[in-house]
Amino acid sequence: MARKFKKEKSKEEDQILLECERWWVFAFLMFAGGYYGAYTYSCRGGVFCNAQTANFVLFGLAIGSKDWGKALYYLIPMAAYLGGTMLSEFLPKTVKRLSHVRWDTFFVGIEIVIVLILGFIPDSAPVQISQVTVNFMCAMQYNTFRQAEHIPAATTFCTNHVRQGGSYLVKWLKHRANKNFLKRSMFHFGMIAVFILGVIVSAVLCSIIGGKAIWCVEIVLIGIFTDLLHADLTTEKNLLDQIPSGH
């Protein structure tokens, strides 16, 4: 197993890594994912909008208890997440045809605008506005950024990182000579730590400035956007047709 892994790894290392596949980009996006989850829970209705498992469970519970109105209500965030995923499949080709930047860069720019608008929504406004918007945005982020330096990685929730982190840790314990197993395990646990950090920062800021706390994540998003845009226009301007790993 260890030999097979090394062979695959060396083959991957021969491929050119795009800036949008760098581990630090995923770490920043993971921070944002945790931030969004704490934001909607703390300031916008006590729900998590960065993933949909809970909504599917609640949808099933509502049907089981014959609460049809509540069941229909949960269809809204679920549909928003589905719509975000589908739109992020349709738009990349159009963006590539009409501009000189990658879809990944263009999306982060969209995310910056959406977050800016969310901060202007009053705390007294219906929470569903923010919830659906964050659902839509997180779906697009999750579907756009799929692999960090050839490692499958989610950017809006932790379940996948827990599974892979534990799996690679056991593989390393069985094959201590293969440091790649340990490296991958630490990568996933590191992503979880960054996600938790995003949750903590968001929870603290939400308790201080309420709904406008969403603006603070702009610092992270602008940093990502600036780096990706610079790569698109300079070092990677001849690589715009290259598709990121995992797509």
PDB file of all heavy atoms in Angstrom, residues 87-107:
ATOM      1  N   LEU A  87     -25.235  26.252 -10.381  1.00  0.00           N
ATOM      2  CA  LEU A  87     -24.750  27.470 -11.025  1.00  0.00           C
ATOM      3  C   LEU A  87     -23.231  27.471 -11.139  1.00  0.00           C
ATOM      4  O   LEU A  87     -22.671  27.928 -12.148  1.00  0.00           O
ATOM      5  CB  LEU A  87     -25.215  28.697 -10.242  1.00  0.00           C
ATOM      6  CG  LEU A  87     -24.963  30.057 -10.908  1.00  0.00           C
ATOM      7  CD1 LEU A  87     -25.696  30.138 -12.243  1.00  0.00           C
ATOM      8  CD2 LEU A  87     -25.398  31.193  -9.992  1.00  0.00           C
ATOM      9  N   SER A  88     -22.556  26.926 -10.127  1.00  0.00           N
ATOM     10  CA  SER A  88     -21.093  26.885 -10.162  1.00  0.00           C
ATOM     11  C   SER A  88     -20.569  25.874 -11.167  1.00  0.00           C
ATOM     12  O   SER A  88     -19.371  25.839 -11.464  1.00  0.00           O
ATOM     13  CB  SER A  88     -20.535  26.565  -8.761  1.00  0.00           C
ATOM     14  OG  SER A  88     -20.936  25.279  -8.336  1.00  0.00           O
ATOM     15  N   GLU A  89     -21.457  25.031 -11.706  1.00  0.00           N
ATOM     16  CA  GLU A  89     -21.088  24.130 -12.796  1.00  0.00           C
ATOM     17  C   GLU A  89     -21.288  24.805 -14.144  1.00  0.00           C
ATOM     18  O   GLU A  89     -20.533  24.575 -15.090  1.00  0.00           O
ATOM     19  CB  GLU A  89     -21.929  22.849 -12.733  1.00  0.00           C
ATOM     20  CG  GLU A  89     -21.564  21.902 -11.606  1.00  0.00           C
ATOM     21  CD  GLU A  89     -20.228  21.208 -11.834  1.00  0.00           C
ATOM     22  OE1 GLU A  89     -19.785  21.109 -12.996  1.00  0.00           O
ATOM     23  OE2 GLU A  89     -19.621  20.769 -10.841  1.00  0.00           O
ATOM     24  N   PHE A  90     -22.289  25.669 -14.244  1.00  0.00           N
ATOM     25  CA  PHE A  90     -22.607  26.330 -15.512  1.00  0.00           C
ATOM     26  C   PHE A  90     -21.682  27.509 -15.824  1.00  0.00           C
ATOM     27  O   PHE A  90     -21.310  27.739 -16.973  1.00  0.00           O
ATOM     28  CB  PHE A  90     -24.050  26.843 -15.494  1.00  0.00           C
ATOM     29  CG  PHE A  90     -25.071  25.778 -15.786  1.00  0.00           C
ATOM     30  CD1 PHE A  90     -26.025  25.440 -14.836  1.00  0.00           C
ATOM     31  CD2 PHE A  90     -25.092  25.118 -17.003  1.00  0.00           C
ATOM     32  CE1 PHE A  90     -26.975  24.460 -15.090  1.00  0.00           C
ATOM     33  CE2 PHE A  90     -26.043  24.134 -17.277  1.00  0.00           C
ATOM     34  CZ  PHE A  90     -26.978  23.811 -16.311  1.00  0.00           C
ATOM     35  N   LEU A  91     -21.317  28.286 -14.796  1.00  0.00           N
ATOM     36  CA  LEU A  91     -20.650  29.570 -15.019  1.00  0.00           C
ATOM     37  C   LEU A  91     -19.182  29.514 -15.452  1.00  0.00           C
ATOM     38  O   LEU A  91     -18.742  30.411 -16.170  1.00  0.00           O
ATOM     39  CB  LEU A  91     -20.765  30.434 -13.761  1.00  0.00           C
ATOM     40  CG  LEU A  91     -22.150  31.026 -13.477  1.00  0.00           C
ATOM     41  CD1 LEU A  91     -22.116  31.870 -12.216  1.00  0.00           C
ATOM     42  CD2 LEU A  91     -22.622  31.865 -14.666  1.00  0.00           C
ATOM     43  N   PRO A  92     -18.380  28.540 -15.007  1.00  0.00           N
ATOM     44  CA  PRO A  92     -16.949  28.586 -15.340  1.00  0.00           C
ATOM     45  C   PRO A  92     -16.620  28.778 -16.817  1.00  0.00           C
ATOM     46  O   PRO A  92     -15.757  29.581 -17.166  1.00  0.00           O
ATOM     47  CB  PRO A  92     -16.438  27.230 -14.822  1.00  0.00           C
ATOM     48  CG  PRO A  92     -17.325  26.937 -13.674  1.00  0.00           C
ATOM     49  CD  PRO A  92     -18.679  27.426 -14.091  1.00  0.00           C
ATOM     50  N   LYS A  93     -17.295  28.073 -17.702  1.00  0.00           N
ATOM     51  CA  LYS A  93     -16.997  28.200 -19.127  1.00  0.00           C
ATOM     52  C   LYS A  93     -17.338  29.592 -19.640  1.00  0.00           C
ATOM     53  O   LYS A  93     -16.617  30.157 -20.464  1.00  0.00           O
ATOM     54  CB  LYS A  93     -17.767  27.139 -19.918  1.00  0.00           C
ATOM     55  CG  LYS A  93     -17.247  25.722 -19.710  1.00  0.00           C
ATOM     56  CD  LYS A  93     -17.983  24.736 -20.589  1.00  0.00           C
ATOM     57  CE  LYS A  93     -17.435  23.328 -20.392  1.00  0.00           C
ATOM     58  NZ  LYS A  93     -18.147  22.323 -21.232  1.00  0.00           N
ATOM     59  N   THR A  94     -18.443  30.142 -19.153  1.00  0.00           N
ATOM     60  CA  THR A  94     -18.843  31.487 -19.573  1.00  0.00           C
ATOM     61  C   THR A  94     -17.833  32.524 -19.104  1.00  0.00           C
ATOM     62  O   THR A  94     -17.443  33.425 -19.865  1.00  0.00           O
ATOM     63  CB  THR A  94     -20.231  31.830 -18.996  1.00  0.00           C
ATOM     64  OG1 THR A  94     -21.185  30.868 -19.450  1.00  0.00           O
ATOM     65  CG2 THR A  94     -20.661  33.220 -19.444  1.00  0.00           C
ATOM     66  N   VAL A  95     -17.405  32.406 -17.854  1.00  0.00           N
ATOM     67  CA  VAL A  95     -16.419  33.347 -17.304  1.00  0.00           C
ATOM     68  C   VAL A  95     -15.107  33.262 -18.069  1.00  0.00           C
ATOM     69  O   VAL A  95     -14.496  34.280 -18.407  1.00  0.00           O
ATOM     70  CB  VAL A  95     -16.187  33.059 -15.803  1.00  0.00           C
ATOM     71  CG1 VAL A  95     -15.000  33.860 -15.287  1.00  0.00           C
ATOM     72  CG2 VAL A  95     -17.438  33.392 -15.006  1.00  0.00           C
ATOM     73  N   LYS A  96     -14.670  32.042 -18.392  1.00  0.00           N
ATOM     74  CA  LYS A  96     -13.419  31.867 -19.127  1.00  0.00           C
ATOM     75  C   LYS A  96     -13.506  32.473 -20.522  1.00  0.00           C
ATOM     76  O   LYS A  96     -12.533  33.047 -21.024  1.00  0.00           O
ATOM     77  CB  LYS A  96     -13.088  30.370 -19.222  1.00  0.00           C
ATOM     78  CG  LYS A  96     -11.740  30.096 -19.878  1.00  0.00           C
ATOM     79  CD  LYS A  96     -11.385  28.620 -19.811  1.00  0.00           C
ATOM     80  CE  LYS A  96     -12.295  27.784 -20.671  1.00  0.00           C
ATOM     81  NZ  LYS A  96     -11.861  26.357 -20.729  1.00  0.00           N
ATOM     82  N   ARG A  97     -14.674  32.398 -21.121  1.00  0.00           N
ATOM     83  CA  ARG A  97     -14.858  32.926 -22.474  1.00  0.00           C
ATOM     84  C   ARG A  97     -14.918  34.451 -22.502  1.00  0.00           C
ATOM     85  O   ARG A  97     -14.493  35.084 -23.469  1.00  0.00           O
ATOM     86  CB  ARG A  97     -16.148  32.343 -23.072  1.00  0.00           C
ATOM     87  CG  ARG A  97     -16.371  32.691 -24.530  1.00  0.00           C
ATOM     88  CD  ARG A  97     -17.520  31.922 -25.127  1.00  0.00           C
ATOM     89  NE  ARG A  97     -18.792  32.255 -24.503  1.00  0.00           N
ATOM     90  CZ  ARG A  97     -19.487  31.440 -23.735  1.00  0.00           C
ATOM     91  NH1 ARG A  97     -19.003  30.223 -23.469  1.00  0.00           N
ATOM     92  NH2 ARG A  97     -20.644  31.808 -23.218  1.00  0.00           N
ATOM     93  N   LEU A  98     -15.417  35.057 -21.426  1.00  0.00           N
ATOM     94  CA  LEU A  98     -15.647  36.502 -21.413  1.00  0.00           C
ATOM     95  C   LEU A  98     -14.592  37.306 -20.660  1.00  0.00           C
ATOM     96  O   LEU A  98     -14.633  38.537 -20.679  1.00  0.00           O
ATOM     97  CB  LEU A  98     -17.027  36.793 -20.800  1.00  0.00           C
ATOM     98  CG  LEU A  98     -18.236  36.200 -21.536  1.00  0.00           C
ATOM     99  CD1 LEU A  98     -19.513  36.515 -20.781  1.00  0.00           C
ATOM    100  CD2 LEU A  98     -18.313  36.717 -22.971  1.00  0.00           C
ATOM    101  N   SER A  99     -13.668  36.643 -19.988  1.00  0.00           N
ATOM    102  CA  SER A  99     -12.709  37.395 -19.183  1.00  0.00           C
ATOM    103  C   SER A  99     -11.319  36.767 -19.246  1.00  0.00           C
ATOM    104  O   SER A  99     -11.119  35.722 -19.873  1.00  0.00           O
ATOM    105  CB  SER A  99     -13.175  37.452 -17.724  1.00  0.00           C
ATOM    106  OG  SER A  99     -13.095  36.163 -17.138  1.00  0.00           O
ATOM    107  N   HIS A 100     -10.382  37.416 -18.567  1.00  0.00           N
ATOM    108  CA  HIS A 100      -9.005  36.927 -18.518  1.00  0.00           C
ATOM    109  C   HIS A 100      -8.662  36.418 -17.124  1.00  0.00           C
ATOM    110  O   HIS A 100      -7.500  36.385 -16.741  1.00  0.00           O
ATOM    111  CB  HIS A 100      -8.041  38.045 -18.913  1.00  0.00           C
ATOM    112  CG  HIS A 100      -8.222  38.528 -20.322  1.00  0.00           C
ATOM    113  ND1 HIS A 100      -7.869  37.768 -21.413  1.00  0.00           N
ATOM    114  CD2 HIS A 100      -8.743  39.682 -20.819  1.00  0.00           C
ATOM    115  CE1 HIS A 100      -8.147  38.438 -22.524  1.00  0.00           C
ATOM    116  NE2 HIS A 100      -8.683  39.597 -22.192  1.00  0.00           N
ATOM    117  N   VAL A 101      -9.674  36.008 -16.385  1.00  0.00           N
ATOM    118  CA  VAL A 101      -9.440  35.436 -15.048  1.00  0.00           C
ATOM    119  C   VAL A 101     -10.137  34.088 -14.960  1.00  0.00           C
ATOM    120  O   VAL A 101     -11.085  33.799 -15.696  1.00  0.00           O
ATOM    121  CB  VAL A 101      -9.974  36.361 -13.925  1.00  0.00           C
ATOM    122  CG1 VAL A 101      -9.256  37.698 -13.953  1.00  0.00           C
ATOM    123  CG2 VAL A 101     -11.475  36.551 -14.020  1.00  0.00           C
ATOM    124  N   ARG A 102      -9.670  33.270 -14.045  1.00  0.00           N
ATOM    125  CA  ARG A 102     -10.264  31.963 -13.829  1.00  0.00           C
ATOM    126  C   ARG A 102     -11.597  32.100 -13.091  1.00  0.00           C
ATOM    127  O   ARG A 102     -11.839  33.092 -12.406  1.00  0.00           O
ATOM    128  CB  ARG A 102      -9.319  31.072 -13.006  1.00  0.00           C
ATOM    129  CG  ARG A 102      -7.916  30.909 -13.577  1.00  0.00           C
ATOM    130  CD  ARG A 102      -7.137  29.901 -12.749  1.00  0.00           C
ATOM    131  NE  ARG A 102      -7.759  28.601 -12.830  1.00  0.00           N
ATOM    132  CZ  ARG A 102      -7.545  27.737 -13.829  1.00  0.00           C
ATOM    133  NH1 ARG A 102      -6.705  28.036 -14.805  1.00  0.00           N
ATOM    134  NH2 ARG A 102      -8.150  26.566 -13.841  1.00  0.00           N
ATOM    135  N   TRP A 103     -12.438  31.090 -13.208  1.00  0.00           N
ATOM    136  CA  TRP A 103     -13.705  31.083 -12.485  1.00  0.00           C
ATOM    137  C   TRP A 103     -13.461  31.156 -10.979  1.00  0.00           C
ATOM    138  O   TRP A 103     -14.180  31.842 -10.263  1.00  0.00           O
ATOM    139  CB  TRP A 103     -14.507  29.826 -12.808  1.00  0.00           C
ATOM    140  CG  TRP A 103     -15.533  29.495 -11.757  1.00  0.00           C
ATOM    141  CD1 TRP A 103     -15.541  28.435 -10.902  1.00  0.00           C
ATOM    142  CD2 TRP A 103     -16.701  30.268 -11.432  1.00  0.00           C
ATOM    143  NE1 TRP A 103     -16.614  28.490 -10.062  1.00  0.00           N
ATOM    144  CE2 TRP A 103     -17.355  29.602 -10.370  1.00  0.00           C
ATOM    145  CE3 TRP A 103     -17.259  31.443 -11.926  1.00  0.00           C
ATOM    146  CZ2 TRP A 103     -18.531  30.073  -9.796  1.00  0.00           C
ATOM    147  CZ3 TRP A 103     -18.431  31.925 -11.353  1.00  0.00           C
ATOM    148  CH2 TRP A 103     -19.053  31.244 -10.309  1.00  0.00           C
ATOM    149  N   ASP A 104     -12.435  30.470 -10.491  1.00  0.00           N
ATOM    150  CA  ASP A 104     -12.132  30.461  -9.062  1.00  0.00           C
ATOM    151  C   ASP A 104     -11.928  31.886  -8.534  1.00  0.00           C
ATOM    152  O   ASP A 104     -12.448  32.246  -7.476  1.00  0.00           O
ATOM    153  CB  ASP A 104     -10.874  29.627  -8.787  1.00  0.00           C
ATOM    154  CG  ASP A 104     -10.870  28.320  -9.549  1.00  0.00           C
ATOM    155  OD1 ASP A 104     -10.652  28.374 -10.785  1.00  0.00           O
ATOM    156  OD2 ASP A 104     -11.110  27.265  -8.939  1.00  0.00           O
ATOM    157  N   THR A 105     -11.184  32.671  -9.307  1.00  0.00           N
ATOM    158  CA  THR A 105     -10.931  34.065  -8.934  1.00  0.00           C
ATOM    159  C   THR A 105     -12.219  34.877  -9.014  1.00  0.00           C
ATOM    160  O   THR A 105     -12.530  35.658  -8.111  1.00  0.00           O
ATOM    161  CB  THR A 105      -9.879  34.687  -9.878  1.00  0.00           C
ATOM    162  OG1 THR A 105      -8.724  33.848  -9.914  1.00  0.00           O
ATOM    163  CG2 THR A 105      -9.500  36.080  -9.420  1.00  0.00           C
ATOM    164  N   PHE A 106     -12.947  34.683 -10.099  1.00  0.00           N
ATOM    165  CA  PHE A 106     -14.197  35.409 -10.302  1.00  0.00           C
ATOM    166  C   PHE A 106     -15.178  35.113  -9.171  1.00  0.00           C
ATOM    167  O   PHE A 106     -15.855  36.024  -8.659  1.00  0.00           O
ATOM    168  CB  PHE A 106     -14.801  34.997 -11.648  1.00  0.00           C
ATOM    169  CG  PHE A 106     -15.960  35.836 -12.084  1.00  0.00           C
ATOM    170  CD1 PHE A 106     -15.754  37.077 -12.667  1.00  0.00           C
ATOM    171  CD2 PHE A 106     -17.263  35.389 -11.917  1.00  0.00           C
ATOM    172  CE1 PHE A 106     -16.824  37.860 -13.083  1.00  0.00           C
ATOM    173  CE2 PHE A 106     -18.346  36.165 -12.323  1.00  0.00           C
ATOM    174  CZ  PHE A 106     -18.117  37.402 -12.901  1.00  0.00           C
ATOM    175  N   PHE A 107     -15.252  33.857  -8.752  1.00  0.00           N
ATOM    176  CA  PHE A 107     -16.180  33.498  -7.675  1.00  0.00           C
ATOM    177  C   PHE A 107     -15.826  34.177  -6.360  1.00  0.00           C
ATOM    178  O   PHE A 107     -16.708  34.663  -5.648  1.00  0.00           O
ATOM    179  CB  PHE A 107     -16.218  31.980  -7.457  1.00  0.00           C
ATOM    180  CG  PHE A 107     -16.885  31.623  -6.164  1.00  0.00           C
ATOM    181  CD1 PHE A 107     -18.253  31.786  -6.007  1.00  0.00           C
ATOM    182  CD2 PHE A 107     -16.137  31.186  -5.076  1.00  0.00           C
ATOM    183  CE1 PHE A 107     -18.867  31.511  -4.805  1.00  0.00           C
ATOM    184  CE2 PHE A 107     -16.750  30.909  -3.871  1.00  0.00           C
ATOM    185  CZ  PHE A 107     -18.128  31.070  -3.730  1.00  0.00           C
TER     186      PHE A 107
END
